[in-house]
Amino acid sequence: MVYMFLKRYVVGPLVNVAFRPEVRGLEHVPSEGPAILASNHLSVSDSVFMPVAVPRQVFFLAKSDYFNSPGLKGRVMAAFFRAINQIPMDRSGGRASATSLSNGGRKLQEGELLGIYPEGTRSPDGRMYKGKIGVARLALETGAPVVPIAMVGTDKVQPIGARVPLPRGRARVTTIFGEPLDFSRYQGRQSEHALLREVTDEIMHAIQALSGQVYVDVYAAEHKKRLAEQKRQETKQAAAELVGSAKDRARTAAQTARHAADSLTHRDRPAAADDDASGTTAP
């Protein structure tokens, strides 16, 4: 109830008036019954613009950090996400992630729409990264169709680091819904890893065809780790160079001070007596 109230009377009107987003292919989203809405992920605001475009409620697999943050702000955030019926997604892998996916599967079995970002995290540079197989597992467990979605322009209205989306120049947000992908012929085969990989890749290529992004066959999380490590090494190197430069300047200053001291000492030293100048008077 909270979700639909906010969508119809608060967030939806505000987004539509402020940003005038474009929506294409909305007819591909089923008006009833389950479906997996699989989208690329460029910005936090993807989870605002896409649901606003869909008449039905979308249940998202939201990262568990939104539900576990400490302090008053964390509790308010968790209460908000629970109020709009979002599902915590543990991204650590293993049993915890499998349990989160099962919660999403239950929503599909109840005939709901489930939103998921197969990349697992936002793209750090606008490119599309390798999809995780959780989306395929959900499709094969439930038989629900997968609607590929391309979000375009959300990284312009809310770049990484921006707290809220804002209208920025000519930036335009477009949500593109593609034709549903039917994998029901594979239902019940979710234990076959090679098949899960194949289905996931097909979904990602369908999203890429809509978004026009460059595809990178690497997980975004791994790429982010490498970027963070590279930045750490660069910071470490820069710090070492700064220390080395400071030492060089200190060494140069010390040498200059010694030369100045030697020059002053030489200038202030008394002149030596000239023995030849001290003769005797003739008788």
Side-chain angles (χ1 to χ4, degrees):
M1 183 176 293
V2 174
Y3 176 98
M4 295 307 293
F5 175 82
L6 292 175
K7 171 183 164 58
R8 289 174 179 169
Y9 303 111
V10 182
V11 179
L14 180 61
V15 165
N16 289 326
V17 169
F19 297 92
R20 300 187 181 279
E22 182 180 358
V23 180
R24 303 178 193 168
L26 187 57
E27 68 274 10
H28 295 310
V29 179
S31 58
E32 59 181 18
I36 299 169
L37 306 184
S39 174
N40 62 334
H41 198 12
L42 298 174
S43 168
V44 172
S45 60
D46 294 331
S47 298
V48 175
F49 286 95
M50 190 265 275
V52 163
V54 179
R56 298 172 58 189
Q57 176 166 355
V58 181
F59 292 80
F60 267 98
L61 286 172
K63 65 180 181 179
S64 57
D65 294 356
Y66 293 146
F67 299 84
N68 302 326
S69 298
L72 178 60
K73 181 179 178 180
R75 291 195 295 273
V76 171
M77 183 187 300
F80 171 74
F81 276 91
R82 290 192 182 95
I84 59 175
N85 298 321
Q86 303 306 283
I87 304 167
M89 177 65 199
D90 192 308
R91 300 186 295 181
S92 62
R95 182 175 297 178
S97 294
T99 300
S100 299
L101 286 173
S102 295
N103 293 334
R106 279 195 287 274
K107 284 299 176 185
L108 291 170
Q109 290 169 353
E110 293 170 4
E112 304 288 359
L113 296 178
L114 182 71
I116 187 171
Y117 300 114
E119 292 169 278
T121 186
R122 282 175 292 165
S123 170
D125 52 20
R127 298 183 295 175
M128 177 176 288
Y129 286 81
K130 186 175 181 179
K132 295 188 175 183
I133 61 174
V135 61
R137 179 171 286 113
L138 283 169
L140 270 57
E141 281 181 354
T142 64
V146 179
V147 179
I149 301 172
M151 301 303 303
V152 180
T154 51
D155 55 336
K156 302 297 189 300
V157 299
Q158 189 180 13
I160 293 176
R163 297 182 66 86
V164 295
L166 294 171
R168 300 174 192 271
R170 297 183 179 179
R172 181 76 179 274
V173 173
T174 304
T175 305
I176 308 171
F177 298 89
E179 294 185 11
L181 304 174
D182 182 8
F183 300 105
S184 58
R185 62 192 181 278
Y186 301 134
Q187 189 171 359
R189 297 175 59 185
Q190 62 269 15
S191 61
E192 300 178 30
H193 187 275
L195 180 59
L196 293 176
R197 183 73 264 162
E198 179 183 338
V199 169
T200 301
D201 289 344
E202 183 175 341
I203 294 169
M204 298 309 295
H205 290 153
I207 298 172
Q208 182 198 17
L210 298 172
S211 70
Q213 292 170 276
V214 173
Y215 180 77
V216 184
D217 195 27
V218 175
Y219 290 118
E222 292 180 359
H223 183 63
K224 286 183 176 181
K225 286 181 181 179
R226 284 199 291 268
L227 289 177
E229 177 61 23
Q230 180 181 346
K231 185 175 182 180
R232 189 183 71 83
Q233 292 296 336
E234 290 175 351
T235 301
K236 184 177 179 181
Q237 182 179 353
E241 291 175 353
L242 185 62
V243 171
S245 178
K247 287 182 178 179
D248 289 342
R249 289 197 297 271
R251 192 180 298 113
T252 301
Q255 291 173 349
T256 302
R258 285 198 298 271
H259 291 160
D262 291 344
S263 177
L264 288 173
T265 300
H266 181 74
R267 187 185 66 186
D268 294 341
R269 184 183 301 158
D274 188 351
D275 292 339
D276 294 333
S278 56
T280 57
T281 303

